[in-house]
Amino acid sequence: MGRNGTGSRAPGRLLAGVAVVLLGVSALACAAAADPAAPIVQTDRGPVQATQRGPMRSWFGIPYAAPPVGDLRWRPPQPAPTWTAPVARTSSVSPCLQTGMTPLRALGESEDCLYLDVHAPAGKGPFPVMVWIYGGAFTTGSTNFYADPTPLVSRGVIVVAMNYRLGAMGFLAHPALRDAAGAAGDYGIMDQQAALRWVRANIAAFGGDAHNVTIFGESAGGFSVLTHLASPLSAGLFDKAIIESGAYGVNNQRSQADMEAKGVAAVQKTLASTALDVAGPACAGQTAAGQAVTAACLRGLPVSAVRAHLMSDFAAAVGNVEPSVDGKVLPHPIKDIFAAGANNKVPVINGSNQDENLLFVAIGELVARMSAKPPNLDPADRSFLMTPQAYAKDAANMAAESGLSAAELTQRYYPLAKYGADVALQPSLAVAAAGTDRTFSCNAVNVSGRMAAQGARLWMYEFRDQTAPLILGSFNGKYVLSVPQGPGHASELLYLFTMADLRNDAQKALRDTMATYWTNFARDGDPNGAGAPRWAPFATGTIQALDVAGGGGVKAMPTAAFSDEHQCHTAWAKLTF
């Protein structure tokens, strides 16, 4: 993204860097010394030993499936091998292969990555279980970043976090990879399902209640939760669900045919870029365009060729990586499954953040500043902000996708003058507002409306803390960007996991309220209980605003007011779910 780049298509490839930017400084500080006196738990594959972390104990790097390498590459996850000596790791293991520029990748990536972490409070339980699914556009992410769920665990729940295959390794669909039923793709979602089966089978040994499992995730993790609510293969694997900023892709899910066409293009580009001696003998005669590629060729590609070419070639061909209609995990688009009432019905919390796309606009500015020669980290230099011309171009792109005219967006719904007196900043704020509404807010309220119409027990929130700690752009204590971040994408994670220091008592109070809501829901299927203001169900016509006291506090806001603020019944009325 250059100086005039776009920030409106929020869940695109820029999402790949969110987790690393958010947690690159503090998250890896979770390792602790091995404690030979810490509990050893026997799983169905072998023993694992905890690391004691104050009142919380953690079992890191438990294999929940076999390494998806060699002949197991692009296949459903298989059972992990058995072992006899206790697994006694003191930190999370390598993340799965990532996509994106090296600075935006989780470190130490590996194709052997199907491991999970278990974090439990002291005591015997049985404790409610919360299974975390990280975000990162299905192209990056790691359990490393979420290794300290103290705000949740301290309230009497077990938190499980798993790695799952990403990018081309998790979502490539190709005719050569079809199974006996003709399905291909969505291996990353199958990994998540395997982890949920592991939880059902093993969590009781850790003190967890195997019959009280809540799945929760943010961004791509939230979209994963929505996918599990739709997938027939996920039925019975969980009891409650929390969707955080996960409704962004409900209107553009790809068919298997489309994904296979893009997969073929990506593979051919990789083979054309890879010498035969690197591709391996199984690929002989398959490097020319139009030649049929075999599963043996694909599964025999050296990991070096996958890293150097296929991961990026697949991302370039697909754009936004998302679960597709593969014929197995998803027999139909998620929207159609919900419309038919065939979704898995459990209690749900669903929500989004007030200014989601400000993060992506901020990332665009940061990338532009770092790409300058020399890098320019002077926020007083406003030349890196979006121009009015770039805003008009972005608005035209959004208009083409939604049936509106660019003039309607830029002059009626998101006029520059609406966004403060700082003329240089207006285009960035306007495009962020339009992108937030179109991509996150209105899809979120539509998803809530669909589930509420089915009679679901559902609560909806909007995270609105304008003072939330910065996710990126702070160097040596100085904010180097011109764009504010507001309650942008992923901001709420700092209130559920220990990732950054909350600066004041108001933020800590909001953290306590949110963690109480999330854990009450995990325990009883209702966020209400002692220690937090009442949260009315979505069916009552309200959404819970999650804010510090100085910004309005934690309170009900009318759903109609939310929809008006985000132009859901006007500019984005054609969005449906």
Side-chain angles (χ1 to χ4, degrees):
M1 184 180 297
R3 295 191 183 194
N4 297 331
T6 175
S8 64
R9 295 300 307 282
R13 251 162 277 147
L14 283 179
L15 263 172
V18 171
V20 173
V21 173
L22 178 63
L23 297 163
V25 175
S26 63
L28 300 182
C30 66
D35 180 0
I40 294 177
V41 168
Q42 184 69 37
T43 74
D44 60 358
R45 311 306 287 177
V48 293
Q49 185 166 23
T51 292
Q52 199 70 41
R53 306 165 71 196
M56 179 170 65
R57 56 188 61 165
S58 299
W59 292 263
F60 288 108
I62 303 172
Y64 71 85
V69 300
D71 191 54
L72 296 185
R73 183 187 277 175
W74 293 304
R75 292 190 191 275
Q78 299 300 304
T82 58
W83 65 89
T84 55
V87 171
R89 296 186 172 99
T90 58
S91 62
S92 300
V93 299
S94 299
C96 296
L97 296 184
Q98 315 270 301
T99 301
M101 295 183 297
T102 300
L104 301 182
R105 289 178 174 170
L107 301 177
E109 57 191 304
S110 172
E111 196 172 1
D112 177 6
C113 62
L114 298 186
Y115 300 84
L116 55 77
D117 301 337
V118 177
H119 309 284
K124 294 183 179 180
F127 301 108
V129 181
M130 302 184 72
V131 179
W132 174 248
I133 307 174
Y134 54 66
F138 296 106
T139 59
T140 193
S142 171
T143 55
N144 278 299
F145 303 143
Y146 306 95
D148 190 353
T150 297
L152 301 172
V153 174
S154 64
R155 288 168 171 79
V157 302
I158 287 178
V159 173
V160 178
M162 92 287 281
N163 283 334
Y164 58 95
R165 282 174 284 181
L166 302 164
M169 308 315 292
F171 296 92
L172 175 70
H174 192 283
L177 299 175
R178 293 174 185 163
D179 64 15
D186 288 346
Y187 307 103
I189 301 299
M190 295 182 207
D191 294 341
Q192 297 173 15
Q193 291 166 334
L196 291 173
R197 288 192 292 272
W198 183 96
V199 168
R200 288 290 203 209
N202 290 282
I203 204 63
F206 297 82
D209 184 348
H211 303 290
N212 191 6
V213 175
T214 299
I215 56 174
F216 71 129
E218 183 269 342
S219 191
F223 197 170
S224 295
V225 172
L226 193 60
T227 301
H228 292 302
L229 286 167
S231 175
L233 299 186
S234 298
L237 295 180
F238 60 96
D239 306 288
K240 309 174 193 73
I242 302 175
I243 305 167
E244 301 176 32
S245 305
Y248 62 83
V250 297
N251 279 286
N252 52 10
Q253 201 161 15
R254 292 184 174 88
S255 66
Q256 182 176 348
D258 184 29
M259 282 295 284
E260 287 190 356
K262 295 182 184 304
V264 167
V267 166
Q268 288 294 352
K269 184 176 180 181
T270 293
L271 293 177
S273 304
T274 305
L276 182 58
D277 59 343
V278 175
C283 293
Q286 298 173 50
T287 57
Q291 296 298 312
V293 175
T294 65
C297 169
L298 292 174
R299 294 192 172 109
L301 281 175
V303 70
S304 58
V306 171
R307 287 174 182 266
H309 297 287
L310 184 59
M311 294 295 285
S312 56
D313 289 343
F314 177 74
V318 173
N320 293 335
V321 178
E322 297 165 359
S324 61
V325 181
D326 66 317
K328 183 175 184 178
V329 171
L330 289 173
H332 307 286
I334 291 174
K335 180 187 291 189
D336 292 353
I337 291 171
F338 272 83
N343 51 294
N344 300 313
K345 297 175 177 65
V346 299
V348 174
I349 288 176
N350 179 41
S352 58
N353 297 351
Q354 185 180 21
D355 295 312
E356 298 266 6
N357 275 44
L358 275 178
L359 174 64
F360 306 106
V361 175
I363 290 175
E365 183 187 344
L366 180 61
V367 169
R369 287 183 178 278
M370 297 301 292
S371 300
K373 299 186 184 303
N376 185 322
L377 299 180
D378 178 10
D381 183 348
R382 318 302 292 285
S383 64
F384 293 90
L385 288 169
M386 175 172 278
T387 65
Q389 293 78 17
Y391 170 49
K393 182 178 179 180
D394 261 26
N397 290 336
M398 284 190 280
E401 295 174 350
S402 60
L404 298 170
S405 70
E408 284 180 293
L409 287 178
T410 60
Q411 297 173 26
R412 181 178 179 185
Y413 298 115
Y414 304 96
L416 294 178
K418 182 179 178 179
Y419 297 97
D422 187 339
V423 175
L425 194 56
Q426 287 174 347
S428 297
L429 297 181
V431 79
T436 293
D437 296 351
R438 178 201 176 277
T439 308
F440 290 100
S441 303
C442 298
N443 283 326
V445 77
N446 289 344
V447 166
S448 292
R450 169 67 68 180
M451 287 190 278
Q454 294 176 341
R457 298 177 62 198
L458 184 137
W459 292 261
M460 186 171 176
Y461 73 87
E462 183 174 61
F463 181 77
R464 296 172 68 88
D465 180 14
Q466 296 283 342
T467 72
L470 297 170
I471 288 180
L472 80 165
S474 181
F475 289 82
N476 298 321
K478 178 183 178 183
Y479 188 55
V480 302
L481 304 180
S482 302
V483 174
Q485 289 177 42
H489 193 68
S491 293
E492 87 285 2
L493 296 181
L494 283 70
Y495 295 74
L496 299 173
F497 295 86
T498 302
M499 296 177 165
D501 291 333
L502 299 181
R503 296 186 298 269
N504 54 56
D505 290 342
Q507 291 176 339
K508 294 174 183 177
L510 179 57
R511 174 200 62 198
D512 293 344
T513 296
M514 290 175 59
T516 297
Y517 281 147
W518 264 239
T519 54
N520 282 349
F521 180 77
R523 184 174 295 106
D524 301 319
D526 187 326
N528 293 292
R534 170 147 182 86
W535 183 349
F538 180 78
T540 65
T542 61
I543 293 169
Q544 196 80 335
L546 302 177
D547 203 348
V548 294
V554 177
K555 63 181 183 181
M557 60 184 295
T559 302
F562 172 94
S563 295
D564 288 344
E565 178 180 332
H566 293 291
Q567 311 284 359
C568 297
H569 293 154
T570 53
W572 309 111
K574 292 185 178 180
L575 293 178
T576 61
F577 183 73

